[in-house]
Amino acid sequence: MMIPLIDIDEWRTGSAHTRAHMASRLDSALCESGFLMLSGHGVSAQLREDIRGAAREFFALPAEVKATYAAPIYGRGWIGPGKEANSFYGEDGDEARPDLKETYTIGHDQPTGDAAIDAQWFAPNVWPTQVPGLQALCTEYTAAMRALNDEMLEMCAAALGLPDDWFTSRCAAAPHTFNINRYPPMSVTGTPAPGQFRVAPHTDWGMLTLLDRQVGYGGLEVQIGDPDPAAPDAPDADAPGEWVSAPEVPDAFTVNIGDILARWTGDRWRSTRHRVLPPQDAAPEEELISLIMFFETNVDSLVAPIPGVVGKSAYEPVTAGDYLMERASAASVG
């Protein structure tokens, strides 16, 4: 499985030849694994740690206080333990084995001017008064990450031989979701049920996911090849469907594509199944916080394979907003 390290600063400063080479590497990575590691992004490490510090203050609040900020998936605020169960497309999440996490979720809150779209997708963010510094930190971070996402979309367009703005023009009025995920220790979660995860096996739903993760024993795994339901944990590391640990590169983001971008390429690029392991006996008190940016396309975009892009699948067109809400509904518990 190829999950390469790509330095985006080389894209910013490189010659036409360098940029063409980098676009080719990105294409190969997204064809093979749907994942890559991204360095040279320039997003402050101190800013990310400050967000984690503020998030820990929030997550340490009593449950009844956090509950005043309760939100549904794709809402704004706190998604408490037991409220989300990720799954694959076409499947409902397993309510008996919800994800072992809690989340503070923030979204893009710049309205489009369409009242119906704005009410559903661009609602005002909710900020906990008990942690007054969180808003400024997250606002700075999401602005930097949205600019980085635009650069990645330009590289994606180059990789497919499309005009530079093919994706950015279709994502200019798109929502995004910023999830701050806390993965509690086993002393909080209890012993995980068989087949229960911090985040259950799933594919992401949208365009690009940019993840700043803390590495630990209960970490991110990616599925190699095509899933094999009869042997999901086969001992052969190269067997289809085998789960392997995602690479660890200091200060690099983990990037993967979601279903909508895969559909646009007719599955030339893979929306790859991945999961976050539950707390492990080797580190039962491990607590991790991940910063996850989910980037979408405009919710009224009609998503169908791009003419001229050689893919593997011929999807029926789907409106992006309808697809995203279908996935959110399937992942909601209770």
Side-chain angles (χ1 to χ4, degrees), residues 157-312:
L160 296 172
L162 300 171
D164 290 348
D165 67 347
W166 201 95
F167 289 117
T168 56
S169 65
R170 289 163 172 80
C171 299
H176 67 241
T177 302
F178 176 25
N179 280 359
I180 305 174
N181 278 3
R182 175 190 178 231
Y183 303 125
M186 203 178 296
S187 58
V188 173
T189 66
T191 301
Q196 190 174 27
F197 295 86
R198 282 172 164 161
V199 182
H202 67 286
T203 59
D204 290 346
W205 310 338
M207 291 286 290
L208 289 172
T209 302
L210 276 64
L211 164 65
D212 178 41
R213 78 187 205 266
Q214 289 186 306
V215 175
Y217 284 88
L220 175 67
E221 291 193 330
V222 178
Q223 195 172 47
I224 292 177
D226 296 321
D228 179 1
D233 294 302
D236 180 1
D238 293 322
E242 174 68 6
W243 292 95
V244 300
S245 295
E248 302 170 8
V249 180
D251 200 44
F253 293 142
T254 305
V255 179
N256 63 280
I257 72 164
D259 298 345
I260 285 178
L261 186 50
R263 282 172 172 257
W264 246 329
T265 68
D267 284 336
R268 174 187 179 86
W269 291 350
R270 297 173 56 95
S271 181
T272 302
R273 298 180 177 201
H274 52 285
R275 65 189 185 185
V276 181
L277 293 175
Q280 302 291 298
D281 291 336
E285 291 307 303
E286 174 182 81
E287 178 185 54
L288 304 174
I289 292 182
S290 285
L291 311 181
I292 314 169
M293 293 288 309
F294 298 102
F295 290 102
E296 318 297 355
T297 185
N298 299 350
V299 295
D300 58 357
S301 291
L302 190 65
V303 180
I306 302 167
V309 173
V310 179
K312 303 174 183 177

